[in-house]
Amino acid sequence: KTVIYGYNGSTAEAYAAKYDRTFISLGENPKTTPTTTETTTTTETTTTTEAPEIIASGECGAEGDNLIWTLRTDGILTISGEGEMADWDFSMRSPWYDYNEDIKNAVIQEGVTSIGNNAFYSCYYLNGVTLPDSLTSIGDSAFYNCNALKLINIPNSITYIGNRAFLGCSRIPSITIPYGVTNIGDGVFSYCSALTSITIPDSVTSINAWAFYECRALNDITIENPDCVISDSKDTFPAKTVIYGYNGSTAEAYAAK
């Protein structure tokens, strides 16, 4: 007479059936009921880098539109076209002067023949410059106070470097003056305090006043032209700089004096 309670499909149900007992179901067996498992799907996010955009541009040629400049969001200033660049002064700055803090590198493309006066005046964050083989002159104060500038290779095509062209470029460790340059102008390398050694090629016939003034790391200078006219000033070269030159040369006479 005993009533047996149990789950469907259980041994209790089988026993009741075998021995003709009363069986009352408690429902589905919880041990065999499927369970729901939560799954988490991870979605990978791919980050794409947007191409640099032009933030400013305009004309910068001696003839107006013969040269064009563009400045991108990645800090690269590019100058392209054919012929000479315009000159600027303290009353009329270069057209990118207001963006000086944004300029990190400058690329002067093939076809450009000159860098104008004051072109990169006080571009404090400019650290690299690419110059083309078409370039023949670098104007007065062209890179004046570009004190972050470290990388610049002057092409062999250059014949003129203006006064104070690299004054205050305090991080340039070395620079090569091409054969063909005939004059080292006033204060060209003044305050280039990282410059350690330099050779003045035989083509240079004169070195002007304060050319290497306050180049405190300048260990030695080689003057290849024995007749090069050297400015009669103790500040043309630092006092500790060793001067290399030929016997009976103007370099020897300057060092002795």
Side-chain angles (χ1 to χ4, degrees), residues 1-5 22-24:
K1 67 178 182 179
T2 301
V3 177
I4 299 175
Y5 292 82
T22 301
F23 177 79
I24 297 177

mmCIF file of all heavy atoms in Angstrom, residues 1-5 22-24:
data_model
loop_
_atom_site.group_PDB
_atom_site.id
_atom_site.type_symbol
_atom_site.label_atom_id
_atom_site.label_comp_id
_atom_site.label_asym_id
_atom_site.label_seq_id
_atom_site.Cartn_x
_atom_site.Cartn_y
_atom_site.Cartn_z
ATOM 1 N N LYS A 1 0.803 -1.212 0.000
ATOM 2 C CA LYS A 1 0.000 0.000 0.000
ATOM 3 C C LYS A 1 0.835 1.260 0.000
ATOM 4 O O LYS A 1 0.331 2.355 -0.131
ATOM 5 C CB LYS A 1 -0.917 0.008 1.209
ATOM 6 C CG LYS A 1 -0.167 0.143 2.552
ATOM 7 C CD LYS A 1 -1.126 0.196 3.710
ATOM 8 C CE LYS A 1 -0.402 0.374 5.036
ATOM 9 N NZ LYS A 1 -1.324 0.448 6.172
ATOM 10 N N THR A 2 2.143 1.131 0.145
ATOM 11 C CA THR A 2 3.003 2.310 0.213
ATOM 12 C C THR A 2 3.029 3.038 -1.116
ATOM 13 O O THR A 2 3.206 2.427 -2.175
ATOM 14 C CB THR A 2 4.432 1.923 0.600
ATOM 15 O OG1 THR A 2 4.403 1.260 1.871
ATOM 16 C CG2 THR A 2 5.335 3.153 0.680
ATOM 17 N N VAL A 3 2.864 4.362 -1.079
ATOM 18 C CA VAL A 3 2.966 5.205 -2.280
ATOM 19 C C VAL A 3 4.424 5.650 -2.425
ATOM 20 O O VAL A 3 5.022 6.156 -1.476
ATOM 21 C CB VAL A 3 2.043 6.413 -2.195
ATOM 22 C CG1 VAL A 3 2.229 7.314 -3.417
ATOM 23 C CG2 VAL A 3 0.600 5.962 -2.046
ATOM 24 N N ILE A 4 4.937 5.421 -3.608
ATOM 25 C CA ILE A 4 6.347 5.780 -3.866
ATOM 26 C C ILE A 4 6.396 7.053 -4.710
ATOM 27 O O ILE A 4 5.785 7.127 -5.786
ATOM 28 C CB ILE A 4 7.068 4.640 -4.596
ATOM 29 C CG1 ILE A 4 7.057 3.363 -3.715
ATOM 30 C CG2 ILE A 4 8.516 5.055 -4.936
ATOM 31 C CD1 ILE A 4 7.635 2.149 -4.416
ATOM 32 N N TYR A 5 7.088 8.075 -4.182
ATOM 33 C CA TYR A 5 7.285 9.327 -4.906
ATOM 34 C C TYR A 5 8.698 9.331 -5.516
ATOM 35 O O TYR A 5 9.673 8.945 -4.855
ATOM 36 C CB TYR A 5 7.157 10.542 -3.987
ATOM 37 C CG TYR A 5 5.746 10.756 -3.471
ATOM 38 C CD1 TYR A 5 5.266 10.034 -2.362
ATOM 39 C CD2 TYR A 5 4.908 11.677 -4.063
ATOM 40 C CE1 TYR A 5 3.968 10.240 -1.886
ATOM 41 C CE2 TYR A 5 3.617 11.896 -3.599
ATOM 42 C CZ TYR A 5 3.159 11.177 -2.515
ATOM 43 O OH TYR A 5 1.876 11.380 -2.053
ATOM 44 N N THR A 22 2.176 1.931 -6.106
ATOM 45 C CA THR A 22 1.674 3.221 -6.576
ATOM 46 C C THR A 22 2.839 4.215 -6.653
ATOM 47 O O THR A 22 3.579 4.398 -5.685
ATOM 48 C CB THR A 22 0.597 3.772 -5.630
ATOM 49 O OG1 THR A 22 -0.473 2.817 -5.571
ATOM 50 C CG2 THR A 22 0.075 5.124 -6.125
ATOM 51 N N PHE A 23 3.011 4.855 -7.855
ATOM 52 C CA PHE A 23 4.118 5.790 -8.067
ATOM 53 C C PHE A 23 3.567 7.165 -8.431
ATOM 54 O O PHE A 23 2.692 7.272 -9.292
ATOM 55 C CB PHE A 23 5.033 5.295 -9.189
ATOM 56 C CG PHE A 23 6.159 6.248 -9.525
ATOM 57 C CD1 PHE A 23 7.291 6.297 -8.737
ATOM 58 C CD2 PHE A 23 6.045 7.114 -10.622
ATOM 59 C CE1 PHE A 23 8.305 7.181 -9.047
ATOM 60 C CE2 PHE A 23 7.065 7.985 -10.910
ATOM 61 C CZ PHE A 23 8.208 8.041 -10.129
ATOM 62 N N ILE A 24 4.043 8.181 -7.750
ATOM 63 C CA ILE A 24 3.629 9.552 -8.052
ATOM 64 C C ILE A 24 4.884 10.338 -8.452
ATOM 65 O O ILE A 24 5.863 10.390 -7.703
ATOM 66 C CB ILE A 24 2.940 10.219 -6.863
ATOM 67 C CG1 ILE A 24 1.633 9.440 -6.537
ATOM 68 C CG2 ILE A 24 2.643 11.701 -7.146
ATOM 69 C CD1 ILE A 24 0.891 9.977 -5.329
#
